């Protein structure tokens, strides 16, 4: 008899399934409504209306204007556009402030800009993974033109006080960009009240399609282009718009906006119960990051004496998908740069696992994980050379 394994997806910070309501909304734009939004005939106008409606929806969720939204291929491109776009336009100043717990889309872009003659300050984060506005303020000088600090961290879910950072940047005449890929759709965002000049978001982290994202750019800010070509996106990002994906992104954003309050509470309750039972059933576990100040679905835990990768593989054999912040490199497994930046020793960082809960998860998923986790941890510890 065929035994079918239970499947539990606890990796919503990596990507999410497209919501069936989103797929339904997208479908006509793959077939009947296939027009190019730049065409002036009926087909084109239909696509254009869909494009601008989605733009309106996204703008509304951020309290921005539609004209301030540039669609791009995802969070990575939006981060690149924000950082390179402002750097290439800046005439005199050469200093950028960011943090050492940012996503690689920001960190690697900063490293590239360093090779182009820009000076970058990578602010240290505290032990919960956040950057306080006072710390940002201390590092501002005459030469600073851009601050890029993420809203919520993708590994530990820590939430930065971005309104405070935005306020300081605005007072000093410095542009403020935030990577909000993880927080968008999960936390309320108001770009006006938070003094945000640029903000990156992505659809596939919020049950929308992959390969589509957006950059909010406050009215009046001019960016150098990354893509040269046609006059798409008000001449800010050339290339025929991916209408089905954009329509899906708009729908996904609206759903999140409508369900955010209830869903956040549900996920936080589920996550807290999961964590409590892990600590009750497994000795020598440590929570990475803050208990209170974190995204509702995020749980990042170190299991002393075990390689995180080994735990991931064992969980996978039981049908459970989670993630470790470690990156496989040619030299072996590198511990997560975020956990290291938080001051977590390399060995504990290597023992850490991220469970990110989301829309598809239920109490049964948590119960199932708890039914297999203690035994796996015990077995791995018994054979571990670090133990
Ligand atoms: C996923 C992610 C990105 C990259 O977004 P893509 O759409 O996958 O390119 C950037 N920043 C953060 C914080 C992310 O979690």
């Amino acid at each position: 008899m065929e035994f079918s394994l239970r499947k539990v997806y606890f990796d919503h910070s990596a990507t999410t399934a497209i919501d069936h309501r989103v797929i339904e909304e997208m479908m006509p734009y793959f077939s009947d409504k296939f027009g190019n939004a730049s065409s002036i005939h009926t087909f084109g106008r239909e696509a254009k209306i869909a494009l601008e409606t989605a733009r309106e929806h996204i703008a509304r969720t951020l309290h921005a204007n539609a004209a301030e939204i540039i669609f791009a291929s995802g969070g990575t491109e939006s981060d690149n556009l924000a950082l390179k776009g402002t750097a290439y336009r800046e005439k005199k100043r050469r200093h950028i402030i960011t943090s050492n717990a940012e996503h690689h889309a920001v960190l690697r872009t900063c490293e590239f800009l360093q090779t182009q003659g820009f000076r970058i300050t990578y602010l240290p984060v505290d032990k919960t993974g956040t950057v306080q506005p006072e710390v940002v303020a201390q590092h501002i000088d005459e030469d600073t033109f851009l601050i890029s600090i993420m809203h919520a961290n993708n590994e530990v879910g820590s939430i930065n006080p971005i309104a405070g950072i935005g306020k300081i940047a605005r007072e000093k005449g410095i542009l403020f960009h935030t990577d909000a890929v993880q927080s968008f759709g999960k936390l309320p965002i108001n770009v006006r009240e938070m003094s945000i000049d640029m903000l990156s978001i992505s659809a596939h982290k919020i049950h929308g399609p992959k390969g589509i994202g957006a950059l909010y750019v406050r009215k009046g800010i001019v960016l150098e282009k990354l893509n040269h070509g046609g006059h798409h996106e008000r001449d800010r990002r050339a290339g025929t718009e991916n209408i089905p994906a954009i329509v899906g992104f708009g729908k996904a954003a609206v759903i999140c906006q409508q369900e955010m309050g209830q869903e956040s509470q549900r996920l936080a309750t589920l996550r807290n119960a999961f964590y409590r039972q892990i600590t009750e059933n497994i000795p020598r576990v440590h929570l990475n990051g803050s208990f209170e100040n974190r995204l509702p679905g995020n749980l990042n835990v170190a299991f002393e004496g075990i390689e995180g990768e080994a735990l991931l593989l064992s969980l996978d054999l039981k049908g459970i998908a989670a993630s470790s912040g470690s990156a496989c490199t040619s030299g072996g497994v590198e511990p997560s740069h975020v956990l290291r930046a938080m001051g977590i020793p390399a060995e504990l960082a290597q023992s850490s696992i991220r469970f990110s809960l989301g829309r598809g998860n239920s109490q049964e998923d948590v119960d199932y994980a708890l039914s297999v986790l203690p035994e796996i941890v015990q077995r791995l510890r018994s054979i571990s050379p670090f133990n």
Side-chain angles (χ1 to χ4, degrees), residues 25-45:
E25 197 87 3
M26 291 169 70
M27 285 312 277
Y29 295 92
F30 288 111
S31 50
D32 299 346
K33 304 184 179 186
F34 63 87
N36 182 324
S38 302
S39 305
I40 58 166
H41 47 62
T42 312
F43 293 87
R45 287 202 307 273

Side-chain angles (χ1 to χ4, degrees), residues 100 210-211 232 278 287 345 376:
N100 55 11
K210 292 176 181 60
H232 312 90
I278 287 176
L287 180 71
I376 294 174

Side-chain angles (χ1 to χ4, degrees), residues 13-14 73-77 79 103 105 150 152 154 179 181-182 202 204-205:
S13 293
S73 66
T76 302
E77 188 188 333
D79 286 343
H103 190 272
M150 69 201 317
N154 45 300
D179 177 332
V181 172
Q182 289 292 336
S202 176
H204 77 97
K205 304 283 173 77

Side-chain angles (χ1 to χ4, degrees), residues 173-218:
I174 297 166
L175 291 176
F176 175 49
H177 165 253
T178 188
D179 177 332
V181 172
Q182 289 292 336
S183 58
F184 182 61
K186 297 171 196 147
L187 303 176
I189 297 176
N190 185 322
V191 291
R192 306 264 177 260
E193 285 176 3
M194 292 170 149
S195 312
I196 297 165
D197 294 310
M198 293 176 286
L199 173 137
S200 305
I201 54 180
S202 176
H204 77 97
K205 304 283 173 77
I206 61 159
H207 300 274
K210 292 176 181 60
I212 190 73
L215 182 68
Y216 153 79
V217 183
R218 185 167 59 82

